[in-house]
């Protein structure tokens, strides 16, 4: 935590305010053990967010060749529900013991995973994916709340970077693990969560510290409905616009519904005494900067993972296993970059240069695909794109999460992390929707190539939007002489 972040933290809440300190952990529970346990939960949530990407073609074939538009809701239904419920469950978790809330989330996610494995249609699968997302939305803010409660303030930045790096690795490894499991049967991508979740629940019940909640206001469920409906209507309109056209009344109505619901959500947040998202969070400059960068970065990241998996399987005819293995070099760069280099670079140069470098390197990987990928299969070109995107993820995502968390008062740990992750998940859904809309349903390989190249260039432009808020909000101001 640098001097600016420490000052912001101190202004937000006095560090000697005993009423905000959590109940001390059990003597036998070390902070590093808590980190290990909660990382299991975040790995489950993040792994499952992306593991489905490489399985979509197999799932579509099993369900009578469902269209890409229909199958995209297996991804976006999860992402939208995850986004909307993160803050809602984060606020509820502040009122109750964090360890019990975390274990409840793991249990819900595990049960929904078993139901997804037994689904007999795209609609049923999407419905249980939403239940999965509810479990993940309960795990994520409570896991970070546990983590920040047991680590000393000066060690929280490193702990958050480790937490996010491991979660980011799980998300990026999703296509690889999915490729291996789909080689057996696509249902295994969900069933594998069951034993992992059960083990995590047993160990968590035994070892997690008892972090008591505090008397926080109850969130309004209507606000969760508003943001869910608004994001869902927006994603629906984006996905369908290429098929139906902008002039179709249904598209216009969908965009109008999205605008009205999201505007009403923002209005309630600004006017209500107990807002769903506290506007005061955005008076903390590092938090605001991280949120503004996270949106375009996450949109490009979600589109990137889906696009590569789709191209390799639908254009080159690769199997899910081949696809996962070709993608593997990128995910392998995430923990190497984040754990070995990001922290040192932040300490020497500050967060803004590290995020800037991450965005540029990530964009370079997209440029490589847009200029090199062709009709003939070429694994080397995939790797040339995956390695820089992996380095970019390792520099950008953990740094943004660390910066956003460092300025939060203890009473807002769970809510603040929920807001950042809500922005992340909503942006992932929007990014996937934009890419699905851009590639459409090409009838020939040359048309497909042009569509994918166009999509990759658009993602380069979108991720580059994060450079401006990085400069405006995350750049450390020079010290006064």
């Amino acid at each position: 935590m640098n001097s600016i972040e420490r000052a912001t933290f101190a202004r937000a809440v006095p560090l000697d305010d005993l009423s905000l300190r959590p109940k001390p952990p059990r003597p036998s529970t070390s902070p590093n053990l808590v980190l290990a346990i909660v990382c299991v939960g975040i790995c489950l949530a993040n792994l499952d967010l992306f593991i489905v990407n490489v399985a979509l073609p197999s799932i579509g074939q099993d369900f009578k060749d469902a269209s890409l538009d229909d199958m995209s809701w297996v991804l976006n239904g999860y992402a939208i529900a995850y986004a909307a419920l993160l803050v809602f469950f984060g606020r509820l978790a502040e009122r109750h013991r964090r360890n019990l809330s975390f274990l409840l989330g793991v249990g819900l996610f595990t049960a929904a995973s078993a139901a997804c494995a037994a689904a007999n249609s795209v609609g049923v699968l999407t419905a249980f994916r939403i239940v999965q997302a509810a479990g993940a939305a309960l795990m994520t803010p409570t896991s970070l709340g546990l983590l920040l409660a047991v680590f000393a303030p000066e060690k929280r930045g490193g702990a958050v970077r480790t937490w996010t790096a491991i979660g980011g690795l799980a998300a990026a490894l999703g296509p690889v693990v999915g490729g291996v499991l789909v080689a057996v049967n696509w249902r295994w991508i969900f069933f594998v969560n069951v034993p992992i979740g059960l083990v995590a629940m047993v160990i968590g019940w035994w070892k997690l510290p008892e972090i008591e909640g505090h008397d926080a206001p109850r969130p309004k469920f209507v606000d969760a409905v508003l943001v869910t409906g608004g994001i869902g209507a927006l994603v629906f309109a984006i996905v369908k616009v290429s098929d139906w056209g902008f002039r179709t009344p249904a598209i216009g109505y969908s965009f109008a519904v999205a605008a009205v619901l999201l505007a009403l959500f923002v209005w309630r947040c600004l006017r209500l005494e107990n807002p769903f998202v506290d506007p005061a969070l955005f008076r903390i400059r590092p938090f605001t900067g991280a949120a503004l960068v996270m949106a375009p970065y996450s949109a490009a990241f979600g589109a990137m993972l889906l696009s590569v998996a789709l191209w390799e399987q639908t254009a080159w005819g690769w199997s899910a296993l081949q696809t996962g293995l070709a993608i593997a070099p990128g995910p392998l760069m995430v923990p190497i970059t984040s754990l070995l280099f990001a922290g040192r670079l932040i300490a020497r140069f500050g967060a803004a240069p590290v995020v800037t470098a991450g965005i540029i390197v990530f964009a370079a990987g997209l440029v490589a695909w847009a200029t090199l990928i062709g009709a003939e299969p070429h694994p080397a070109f995939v790797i040339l794109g995956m390695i820089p995107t992996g380095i970019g993820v390792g520099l950008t995502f953990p740094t943004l999460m660390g910066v956003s968390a460092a300025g939060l008062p203890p009473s807002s740990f769970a809510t603040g992390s929920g807001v950042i992750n809500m922005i992340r998940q909503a942006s992932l859904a929007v990014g996937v929707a934009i890419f699905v809309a851009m590639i459409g349903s090409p009838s020939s390989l040359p048309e497909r190539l042009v569509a994918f190249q166009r999509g990759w260039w658009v993602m380069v432009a979108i991720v580059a939007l994060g450079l401006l808020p990085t400069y405006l909000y995350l750049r450390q101001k020079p010290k006064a002489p």
Side-chain angles (χ1 to χ4, degrees):
M1 188 181 295
N2 60 39
S3 59
I4 291 179
E5 290 165 347
R6 281 196 296 269
T8 302
F9 186 90
R11 287 194 301 270
V13 61
L15 294 180
D16 59 353
D17 188 346
L18 298 179
S19 66
L20 294 175
R21 291 184 178 178
K23 183 178 179 179
R26 301 167 187 169
S28 60
T29 305
S30 70
N32 287 333
L33 179 57
V34 174
L35 174 61
I37 294 171
V38 300
C39 278
V40 174
I42 198 63
C43 281
L44 283 173
N46 284 350
L47 181 68
D48 215 73
L49 182 60
F50 298 109
I51 199 173
V52 179
N53 283 280
V54 298
L56 280 184
S58 297
I59 297 173
Q61 292 172 8
D62 204 15
F63 292 148
K64 300 178 181 179
D65 295 321
S67 69
L68 180 59
D69 287 359
D70 294 335
M71 297 305 302
S72 70
W73 286 101
V74 177
L75 300 175
N76 284 340
Y78 182 99
I80 293 169
Y82 194 6
L85 294 175
L86 271 169
V87 175
F88 181 73
F89 284 148
R91 293 278 301 279
L92 284 181
E94 291 180 353
R95 299 175 57 88
H96 306 283
R97 278 174 49 183
R98 306 291 169 80
N99 57 316
L100 295 183
S101 298
F102 175 77
L103 294 175
L104 178 61
V106 175
L108 183 60
F109 186 90
T110 302
S113 296
C116 286
N120 58 4
S121 69
V122 175
V124 172
L125 177 59
T126 301
F128 283 117
R129 284 279 286 168
I130 292 173
V131 179
Q132 260 193 323
L138 185 55
M139 283 192 292
T140 302
T142 51
S143 65
L144 189 56
L146 283 165
L147 187 64
L148 295 177
V150 299
F151 276 91
E154 65 274 10
K155 295 183 178 180
R156 285 173 184 154
V160 171
R161 282 194 297 273
T162 301
W163 179 82
T164 52
I166 293 175
L169 173 62
L173 278 175
V176 183
V177 177
V180 174
L181 295 176
V182 170
V184 181
N185 189 293
W186 68 262
R187 297 181 186 274
W188 276 89
I189 66 175
F190 301 111
F191 184 72
V192 72
N193 295 329
V194 176
I196 298 174
L198 291 175
V199 171
M201 290 175 65
V202 171
I203 297 176
W205 179 265
W206 180 32
K207 285 293 186 179
L208 280 178
E210 298 178 359
I211 306 298
E212 298 291 342
H214 58 275
D215 189 20
R218 291 183 180 275
K220 299 290 193 301
F221 183 70
V222 65
D223 293 315
V225 173
L226 288 174
V227 72
T228 302
I231 297 172
L234 176 62
V235 169
F236 177 82
I238 294 172
V239 168
K240 290 297 185 182
V241 72
S242 62
D243 292 336
W244 296 353
F246 274 107
R247 296 183 179 180
T248 304
I251 296 297
Y253 295 150
S254 295
F255 277 120
V257 168
V260 170
L261 293 180
L262 292 176
L264 184 57
F265 171 76
V266 172
W267 180 83
R268 287 175 59 86
C269 288
L270 293 173
R271 297 294 299 271
L272 294 182
E273 184 177 350
N274 174 29
F276 191 76
V277 174
D278 190 351
L281 290 173
F282 293 94
R283 289 196 286 269
I284 303 173
R285 285 185 63 84
F287 182 88
T288 301
L292 292 175
V293 179
M294 186 68 79
Y297 157 76
S298 297
F301 178 61
M304 179 271 293
L305 280 181
L306 175 64
S307 67
V308 178
L310 282 179
W311 176 261
E312 292 174 5
Q313 293 185 72
T314 61
W316 287 350
W318 286 5
S319 68
L321 180 57
Q322 287 175 303
T323 298
L325 292 175
I327 292 174
L332 290 177
M333 297 306 300
V334 175
I336 295 174
T337 303
S338 178
L339 297 178
L340 298 184
F341 299 106
R344 297 177 184 178
L345 292 173
I346 293 170
R348 182 171 180 179
F349 301 106
V354 175
V355 172
T356 300
I359 290 173
I360 293 173
V361 175
F362 182 90
L366 296 174
V367 171
W369 286 325
T371 55
L372 296 177
I373 292 294
E376 294 297 323
H378 208 308
F381 290 164
V382 176
I383 294 172
L384 283 174
M386 285 308 312
I387 289 178
T389 55
I391 294 173
V393 172
L395 290 174
T396 306
F397 180 55
T399 305
L400 292 177
M401 290 299 295
V403 167
S404 66
L408 295 175
S411 60
S412 298
F413 281 158
T415 300
S417 67
V419 171
I420 286 292
N421 277 290
M422 180 180 75
I423 294 170
R424 177 192 172 210
Q425 303 305 328
S427 301
L428 287 169
V430 171
V432 167
I434 291 173
F435 203 90
V436 168
M438 293 199 67
I439 62 175
S441 302
S443 58
S444 66
L445 183 56
E447 291 179 356
R448 183 180 296 273
L449 177 60
V450 171
F452 271 74
Q453 289 174 335
R454 182 172 59 246
W456 285 321
W457 280 117
V458 169
M459 290 306 123
V460 171
I462 288 176
V463 75
L465 294 175
L467 293 174
L468 182 59
T470 298
Y471 177 80
L472 294 177
Y473 288 90
L474 302 183
R475 188 166 59 100
Q476 187 171 356
K477 296 180 180 179
K479 295 181 180 179

